[in-house]
Amino acid sequence: MTKRALISGVTGQDGSYLAELLLEKGYEVHGIVRRSSTETFERIKHLADRIELHQADLLDQVSLLSTIQACQPTELYNLAAQSFVPTSWVQPSLTGEFTGLGVTRMLEAIRVVDPSIRFYQASSSEMYGRVQQTPQNEETDFYPRSPYAVAKLYGHWITVNYRESYDIYAVSGILFNHESPRRGREFVTRKITETVARIKLGLQDELRLGNTEAKRDWGYAKEYVEAMWLMMQRDQPTDYVIGTGEQHSVRECYEAAFAFVGLDPKDFVKTDSNLVRPAEVDTLLADPTKATKELGWTAQTTFTELIEIMVEADLEAQEKATGRRRGDSTSR
């Protein structure tokens, strides 16, 4: 029997990579999209004739119920959220509705329609916040430091609650930062790689950043979606930390990006206090031992390789969009 997957957040970075992976594995893939005046399907346009899209919204219980009834998935991956941490300070209530209560609406729809559907929840390393131990594993206490992280923690625990209360196969992947050329431009890694590409082509003069000493465990999103899938294939549902086990600072990120294009960051990087979070998360570092042991999953792409992949993709995209070339006299 062909497996059928339903992905919320299918138009995002993780959703697009997961859709590709599941198609390769022979799944019938469906995706949930929100109706908006400007529909952005850029990341999945190459899959348009291979996946079926359904309009629904994490704020609307009825739409989730009707979509799950229509789709009848064997696996449901909940990747949709208001996922940008700075926005969660500006819109804390909306972030809670999408990122926290939206998970409850999805789980409740599964409970009502078909409790045999396997459910994956995208949890976040941001839940560790002011870290209580380093590195962080599945047993580390949480200490969220943003409205986004608090909402993610609610989503995480409600997933555990439905698993234990209703015997639903529900798992959470506590994914540490994972990036790619498909990362949203508002996230710091993509901001860095795209700006460095534009500086290289003579299209921009500076890169403005907040806390450059913040440290994260950064991996390649294309690899992380495989960990999601592996979690859903186990006999018993349980949660996993997914990360590389190495950490690097924002400073190291921009230094690697500038090194790739042969420029000195001292000439271009400016610190902007307006970009510093109200409550900072200074350090996050994964201990992915359980995932390695039980799932057989380990990160393959190094930090420097990841940054270089992203810079090269942004250089190509900027060249295509602007007509500039790396060898032009206007480029650096």
Side-chain angles (χ1 to χ4, degrees):
M1 186 183 78
T2 301
K3 285 189 174 182
R4 185 180 297 120
L6 178 61
I7 305 170
S8 71
V10 71
T11 61
Q13 169 189 256
D14 293 8
S16 63
Y17 281 124
L18 180 61
E20 289 174 348
L21 176 72
L22 295 177
L23 287 168
E24 289 172 7
K25 293 184 178 297
Y27 279 67
E28 180 183 318
V29 178
H30 296 248
I32 291 175
V33 295
R34 294 173 60 209
R35 178 72 181 98
S36 65
S37 56
T38 55
E39 297 183 349
T40 55
F41 298 158
E42 178 184 353
R43 296 183 184 94
I44 57 168
K45 63 182 179 182
H46 64 296
L47 304 175
D49 60 345
R50 302 179 65 195
I51 63 177
E52 185 174 340
L53 300 179
H54 306 261
Q55 287 187 3
D57 197 307
L58 288 179
L59 301 184
D60 181 12
Q61 183 78 66
V62 173
S63 70
L64 297 176
L65 281 163
S66 60
T67 296
I68 292 171
Q69 284 173 331
C71 179
Q72 293 293 315
T74 49
E75 298 174 3
L76 196 162
Y77 295 83
N78 184 41
L79 310 184
Q82 190 302 99
S83 59
F84 189 45
V85 174
T87 296
S88 77
W89 295 103
V90 180
Q91 297 182 306
S93 297
L94 185 64
T95 299
E97 285 286 348
F98 270 116
T99 309
L101 288 174
V103 185
T104 308
R105 296 186 187 102
M106 193 73 83
L107 284 162
E108 186 64 9
I110 287 174
R111 187 186 70 81
V112 170
V113 175
D114 181 2
S116 73
I117 296 169
R118 294 193 169 201
F119 177 79
Y120 172 86
Q121 166 60 14
S123 288
S124 169
S125 60
E126 287 283 333
M127 300 186 307
Y128 293 117
R130 181 181 286 171
V131 297
Q132 303 299 291
Q133 70 179 57
T134 298
Q136 297 87 53
N137 61 31
E138 293 81 3
E139 305 303 320
T140 303
D141 289 338
F142 299 115
Y143 195 135
R145 294 269 283 170
S146 68
Y148 166 77
V150 172
K152 274 292 185 184
L153 188 54
Y154 177 95
H156 179 83
W157 281 115
I158 201 67
T159 301
V160 173
N161 187 259
Y162 269 70
R163 178 169 72 214
E164 295 179 349
S165 301
Y166 301 114
D167 198 29
I168 290 173
Y169 189 107
V171 299
S172 288
I174 307 172
L175 271 58
F176 281 63
N177 295 62
H178 46 290
E179 319 297 319
S180 76
R182 299 181 190 177
R183 189 56 141 154
R185 291 172 172 84
E186 68 273 23
F187 291 88
V188 68
T189 48
R190 182 69 192 289
K191 177 182 178 179
I192 288 170
T193 61
E194 186 175 66
T195 303
V196 167
R198 289 179 59 80
I199 289 172
K200 178 62 177 177
L201 297 174
L203 297 165
Q204 204 162 322
D205 293 320
E206 65 178 18
L207 169 61
R208 303 186 74 84
L209 295 168
N211 179 12
T212 61
E213 301 310 317
K215 295 180 180 179
R216 295 291 186 272
D217 184 325
W218 273 304
Y220 190 13
K222 189 174 183 178
E223 298 171 356
Y224 283 44
V225 298
E226 183 177 8
M228 298 178 188
W229 176 78
L230 286 167
M231 288 180 216
M232 296 281 265
Q233 312 315 308
R234 303 281 296 173
D235 290 337
Q236 297 297 322
T238 187
D239 306 326
Y240 291 92
V241 161
I242 303 298
T244 69
E246 296 181 9
Q247 69 176 187
H248 299 271
S249 66
V250 174
R251 180 184 300 277
E252 289 176 87
C253 180
Y254 73 67
E255 286 176 345
F258 277 108
F260 182 67
V261 298
L263 295 175
D264 188 343
K266 295 187 184 71
D267 296 331
F268 307 102
V269 177
K270 302 288 188 297
T271 302
D272 187 343
S273 61
N274 292 321
L275 298 175
V276 177
R277 296 181 184 183
E280 186 57 83
V281 175
D282 296 313
T283 179
L284 292 172
L285 176 61
D287 174 5
T289 302
K290 181 181 176 183
T292 301
K293 182 179 178 181
E294 297 185 7
L295 301 178
W297 183 92
T298 55
Q300 301 297 316
T301 304
T302 69
F303 173 74
T304 301
E305 288 171 343
L306 172 61
I307 299 304
E308 291 179 353
I309 288 168
M310 293 175 67
V311 175
E312 179 59 34
D314 278 321
L315 279 166
E316 293 175 6
Q318 290 295 316
E319 286 177 328
K320 183 178 180 180
T322 66
R324 294 285 185 94
R325 294 293 179 266
R326 277 164 259 195
D328 292 349
S329 58
T330 49
S331 65
R332 301 177 192 274

